[in-house]
Amino acid sequence: MAPINSDHRRDVAIDIVKPVNFTGGLDFSALTYTVSKKKEVEGQWLSQEVDLLHRISGYAPKGFVTAVMGPSGAGKSTFLDAVAGRIASGSLMGRVSLDGMVMNPSLIKRTSAYVMQEDRLFPMLTVYETLMFAADFRLGSISTDDKKQRVEKLIEQLGLSSARNTYIGDEGTRGVSGGERRRVSIGVDIIHGPSLLFLDEPTSGLDSTSAYSVIEKVHDIARSGSTVILTIHQPSSRILLLLDHLIVLARGHLMYQGSPKDVTGYLRKIGRKVPVGENSIEYLIDVIQEYDQSEIGVEALAEFARTGVKPPKLVEGDVSFVSAAVATPTPARTQPRGNGGVEDFDHSLRSPHNAASRSWSASGVVQTMMFTPPRPRNEYQSKVNNPMSSSPYANSSEILPSTPTPHSSDYTVNENDYLTPGVLDAYSVDHGPKFANSFLPETWTLIRRNFKNIRRTPELFLSRLLVLTFMGFMMATMFPNPPNSLQGITNRLSFFIFTACVFFFSSNDAVPAFIQERFIFVRETSFNAYRASSYTTAGLITYLPFLALQAIVYALITWWALTLRGSFLYFFIVLYVSLLTTNSFVVFVSSVVPNYILGYAAVIAFTALFFLFCGFFLNSGEIPSYWTWMNKISTMTYPYEGLLMNQYQTNDVFGKNVDGTLVTGQGILASLNINSDIGSNKKWENVAIMLGWAVFYRVLFYLVLRFASKNQRT
């Protein structure tokens, strides 16, 4: 089915009618997500608009687990991203409301949590520490004792007491089990008691027992008053008993919505009987795939879900039907409503919105949009009013209570407004602070976590320290006490350029550091755990003492061994700032590359360029004019020249030329085209320039984090 033409969409207006008997939960209307795809037609690549989601309307009741299911390519994850505000502004059309109030992506982030399919956690933190840091990020307004009590309670409720002090672990470190790791991931995201909880394939990769345990805990969370929506693939019969509400998608269309127990009746209405002993939901998906593989297509089932128009039957061996075939509508039961409207369909297909129609016009054809709920009004209403009434966990301890939903007075949206095609953030709402903590507490928490990780995984910094210590020892033994001769000058020049290079290379192992953390950063910042600026600042502060240690060790080993002159303090500062600049550059590169292989390739390429144009092979005066800019941006230029100026900014004699003329320090600098008079501050200008480059790369790193590292569809 071809997507609605964009020109037609501009003429479409969807009347969003407030729910009458739907008292709580998530309500979504006419969600449409269109992307442009390239398609080869007769040897030419043409751009075609494709609807990944096509006018999906429905609801997810509060206090229940809503499962999104469907065959492969149905749009389950896309739908979850749409209602979770994880699709970029301008790409999604429709409306999402929570408890009858319009939500924008920013507000959804503040009141919800999203558990990704992959468990992105720090492997060397324990279960307790992981949840405690999550509490520090998301519960800024309460005391530390209250946070600890909340974490302890959550550990008990998630069944993690036996793993409380166990490391999360990874491929190289033994830690918690897969099911426990998944429950920790859920705990991290529900520590603040979100009103909305989204989970993408929470049972993926788990055995049946672990999968059931995870969904059981999610079921408890829903019963505590949260609205839970999850995608799931082939749930077991035990898990099906924990699913309260079902949304079935195919090809981006809504196929079915309602209680899992009503699937059999739904299939009966389209003329299909569930075979004896077969699961009704699995059979429904089989039927959907049969229609998808026929000439009729799934659009016929989508039409039935919207309007009750019965789809044509599939005849074995005959797929010559057309999807526009006219079928007899399902008999409807009508009764007057207070507003003069009617309710359509029997109780198994009645909308929680009293089947309020959405009228819209496209190409002159008026169609009626209705929700397709399955739950009888009296059953649904009683469970919404008291979600714990039918729960087997009614007498158990409650999971952490959900965050209160904003009052309707916080919104200025008129319920009679039409939503013309646009984005979900058409309405902005002031709902308190965006982050739970201010900048400084966030930064301090991140610093504490960084140091804890470094203390338990010291290999990264110890390896750099050992490399620089070994290289310093090599230089001290290769060029001990250089003589005042041309050879002595050459030895010192070689030492200075080698030092500039080795300090650049020593930071290359920082490439995978952020790449490994990037997924954790994206998960945590997707729902405002902390600011990108806090993360950038904390990372910088964490590096500072370790970089200082590396610089001072190298300086102490080489300074006296090579009988260097000038200021030892300046020598140390140049080495320190050089490490800082290089580290900032490498961290920036790691933020823009997709993997560490490309990161290493990029860093090595820039290292070669910076080395070539730093002034060692050709001094700055001999570099061709069209390449002089490379000399200015090379991060090796300034430490190399700074070390030379510290050593040779003097009229002392360091040797004799072949003709017998004396070679002074100033003469060496002049021959290298380094203009630095005795007493000038140019060597400190080089330090300032290096600091400027360090700040520049850190700012670029922040900008990438802030605007380009978002787990969001475009």
Side-chain angles (χ1 to χ4, degrees):
M1 180 177 180
I4 299 174
N5 185 278
S6 59
D7 293 335
H8 291 165
R9 282 203 180 106
R10 295 189 185 94
D11 299 328
V12 176
I14 301 171
D15 188 7
I16 304 301
V17 180
K18 288 286 185 179
V20 176
N21 65 337
F22 176 64
T23 60
L26 195 70
D27 174 38
F28 45 91
S29 178
L31 294 181
T32 300
Y33 177 41
T34 304
V35 298
S36 181
K37 291 186 175 181
K38 295 287 185 180
K39 185 177 182 181
E40 187 177 8
V41 179
E42 298 179 355
Q44 294 184 342
W45 287 94
L46 302 177
S47 181
Q48 181 183 21
E49 283 193 344
V50 178
D51 280 354
L52 299 186
L53 297 177
H54 184 73
R55 305 183 64 80
I56 296 179
S57 299
Y59 64 100
K62 178 185 290 186
F64 295 94
V65 178
T66 297
V68 182
M69 299 181 64
S72 298
K76 301 185 291 294
S77 295
T78 304
F79 169 78
L80 196 68
D81 288 343
V83 295
R86 290 157 60 91
I87 294 181
S89 299
S91 300
L92 180 68
M93 294 186 291
R95 175 176 289 181
V96 175
S97 301
L98 180 62
D99 295 340
M101 294 162 285
V102 176
M103 304 284 284
N104 59 28
S106 177
L107 187 56
I108 290 176
K109 289 183 179 182
R110 304 185 203 184
T111 57
S112 67
Y114 191 109
V115 181
M116 298 180 182
Q117 187 171 346
E118 298 84 9
D119 299 317
R120 304 294 187 179
L121 303 168
F122 286 101
M124 297 310 296
L125 294 181
T126 66
V127 170
Y128 174 80
E129 289 168 344
T130 300
L131 294 175
M132 195 63 205
F133 278 119
D136 287 335
F137 288 131
R138 305 304 297 267
L139 303 173
S141 59
I142 66 176
S143 66
T144 301
D145 289 339
D146 289 338
K147 291 177 185 177
K148 290 179 179 179
Q149 292 178 8
R150 194 177 183 104
V151 167
E152 295 289 0
K153 183 179 180 181
L154 185 59
I155 287 175
E156 181 181 354
Q157 292 165 339
L158 291 174
L160 295 169
S161 298
S162 61
R164 180 186 184 279
N165 296 316
T166 304
Y167 289 145
I168 298 299
D170 57 9
E171 296 82 1
T173 305
R174 186 174 179 83
V176 298
S177 67
E180 289 171 335
R181 184 181 292 109
R182 188 60 50 86
R183 277 178 273 159
V184 173
S185 294
I186 294 172
V188 166
D189 288 311
I190 68 169
I191 190 68
H192 61 300
S195 298
L196 283 167
L197 178 60
F198 304 101
L199 303 100
D200 187 15
E201 296 285 357
T203 61
S204 177
L206 301 180
D207 59 82
S208 59
T209 301
S210 298
Y212 178 78
S213 175
V214 168
I215 299 302
E216 186 180 35
K217 299 306 177 185
V218 170
H219 186 270
D220 292 350
I221 294 167
R223 289 297 186 262
S224 71
S226 294
T227 300
V228 177
I229 306 177
L230 58 88
T231 61
I232 193 167
H233 184 66
Q234 292 183 332
S236 65
S237 57
R238 291 195 303 166
I239 290 178
L240 285 174
L241 297 176
L242 300 176
L243 305 180
D244 306 298
H245 191 67
L246 192 63
I247 294 174
V248 180
L249 305 176
R251 300 284 182 183
H253 293 265
L254 180 66
M255 299 288 103
Y256 172 80
Q257 181 178 201
S259 171
K261 69 180 181 181
D262 292 332
V263 172
T264 301
Y266 175 86
L267 287 166
R268 192 181 303 118
K269 291 180 182 298
I270 61 175
R272 305 298 290 264
K273 184 178 180 181
V274 180
V276 177
E278 187 164 343
N279 182 280
S280 60
I281 297 175
E282 292 181 355
Y283 184 67
L284 170 60
I285 294 178
D286 290 342
V287 170
I288 291 171
Q289 290 181 314
E290 289 178 17
Y291 274 91
D292 187 27
Q293 295 168 5
S294 73
E295 291 186 0
I296 297 177
V298 296
E299 290 77 16
L301 293 176
E303 182 69 14
F304 174 67
R306 283 197 305 267
T307 65
V309 175
K310 191 173 181 179
K313 290 185 177 181
L314 294 174
V315 178
E316 185 176 357
D318 183 6
V319 291
S320 60
F321 311 107
V322 292
S323 59
V326 179
T328 305
T330 303
R333 180 164 60 90
T334 63
Q335 68 183 44
R337 290 201 326 198
N339 59 0
V342 296
E343 286 190 353
D344 298 273
F345 315 134
D346 61 15
H347 70 276
S348 66
L349 289 175
R350 188 182 304 121
S351 169
H353 299 264
N354 285 342
S357 63
R358 275 99 169 130
S359 298
W360 59 281
S361 174
S363 303
V365 179
V366 177
Q367 303 185 24
T368 302
M369 300 279 294
M370 299 183 180
F371 290 135
T372 59
R375 193 183 298 278
R377 184 180 190 278
N378 54 358
E379 176 190 354
Y380 174 78
Q381 186 66 43
S382 64
K383 287 193 175 185
V384 168
N385 291 337
N386 185 14
M388 297 295 292
S389 61
S390 62
S391 171
Y393 304 94
N395 296 324
S396 64
S397 60
E398 293 184 356
I399 289 287
L400 302 176
S402 62
T403 302
T405 305
H407 299 294
S408 58
S409 60
D410 295 334
Y411 295 81
T412 57
V413 182
N414 191 316
E415 67 178 39
N416 296 320
D417 286 347
Y418 288 92
L419 179 64
T420 56
V423 295
L424 289 177
D425 57 350
Y427 303 97
S428 59
V429 182
D430 183 11
H431 184 56
K434 185 176 182 180
F435 299 93
N437 298 288
S438 60
F439 174 81
L440 289 179
E442 281 180 0
T443 304
W444 173 240
T445 302
L446 287 165
I447 291 173
R448 288 192 295 109
R449 187 174 71 176
N450 289 344
F451 276 107
K452 191 176 289 289
N453 279 313
I454 291 171
R455 189 172 69 251
R456 291 177 183 168
T457 55
E459 298 85 3
L460 181 61
F461 288 104
L462 280 180
S463 63
R464 298 182 197 174
L465 181 60
L466 289 176
V467 166
L468 289 177
T469 301
F470 177 75
M471 290 302 174
F473 176 77
M474 291 290 292
M475 290 296 98
T477 54
M478 283 185 66
F479 306 114
N481 193 21
N484 285 335
S485 63
L486 294 181
Q487 185 59 48
I489 295 171
T490 301
N491 290 350
R492 285 195 176 94
L493 290 177
S494 300
F495 165 74
F496 292 140
I497 190 60
F498 179 85
T499 298
C501 289
V502 76
F503 270 56
F504 193 101
F505 277 111
S506 68
S507 295
N508 285 8
D509 57 358
V511 171
F514 174 72
I515 292 177
Q516 292 174 350
E517 287 188 20
R518 177 160 48 198
F519 297 104
I520 299 176
F521 169 82
V522 170
R523 177 181 63 81
E524 292 178 333
T525 56
S526 292
F527 289 85
N528 303 331
Y530 49 80
R531 299 165 179 81
S533 57
S534 301
Y535 182 86
T536 304
T537 305
L540 174 61
I541 295 174
T542 303
Y543 276 110
L544 292 179
F546 296 98
L547 298 180
L549 179 62
Q550 295 167 30
I552 193 64
V553 168
Y554 187 87
L556 289 172
I557 293 174
T558 59
W559 176 263
W560 285 279
L562 275 77
T563 59
L564 301 179
R565 66 162 304 279
S567 169
F568 175 81
L569 177 62
Y570 180 84
F571 181 70
F572 161 71
I573 290 174
V574 168
L575 297 181
Y576 183 32
V577 177
S578 176
L579 281 174
L580 179 59
T581 303
T582 303
N583 178 267
S584 299
F585 171 77
V586 172
V587 169
F588 161 64
V589 171
S590 69
S591 70
V592 297
V593 295
N595 55 65
Y596 69 89
I597 296 176
L598 289 178
Y600 277 127
V603 170
I604 291 172
F606 277 104
T607 301
L609 289 174
F610 291 166
F611 184 39
L612 179 61
F613 292 100
C614 70
F616 177 73
F617 296 100
L618 287 176
N619 64 55
S620 57
E622 296 175 350
I623 296 176
S625 58
Y626 45 83
W627 285 119
T628 53
W629 61 275
M630 281 297 301
N631 175 261
K632 301 301 181 184
I633 70 170
S634 172
T635 56
M636 292 187 193
T637 298
Y638 304 100
Y640 175 58
E641 291 185 353
L643 294 175
L644 288 173
M645 285 186 284
N646 189 54
Q647 176 69 27
Y648 295 120
Q649 199 177 49
T650 178
N651 285 322
D652 293 349
V653 176
F654 289 89
K656 292 182 181 181
N657 286 318
V658 179
D659 59 3
T661 58
L662 300 178
V663 179
T664 64
Q666 286 296 109
I668 296 172
L669 294 180
S671 67
L672 297 174
N673 201 42
I674 299 175
N675 299 316
S676 179
D677 297 330
I678 298 175
S680 71
N681 293 321
K682 186 176 180 182
K683 67 178 186 179
W684 291 105
E685 291 177 8
N686 277 30
V687 172
I689 293 173
M690 284 191 288
L691 286 173
W693 279 115
V695 172
F696 175 72
Y697 288 129
R698 288 287 171 175
V699 170
L700 290 181
F701 176 65
Y702 162 73
L703 293 176
V704 172
L705 297 186
R706 177 67 177 81
F707 299 105
S709 294
K710 295 182 178 180
N711 194 3
Q712 195 174 58
R713 297 173 186 258
T714 56

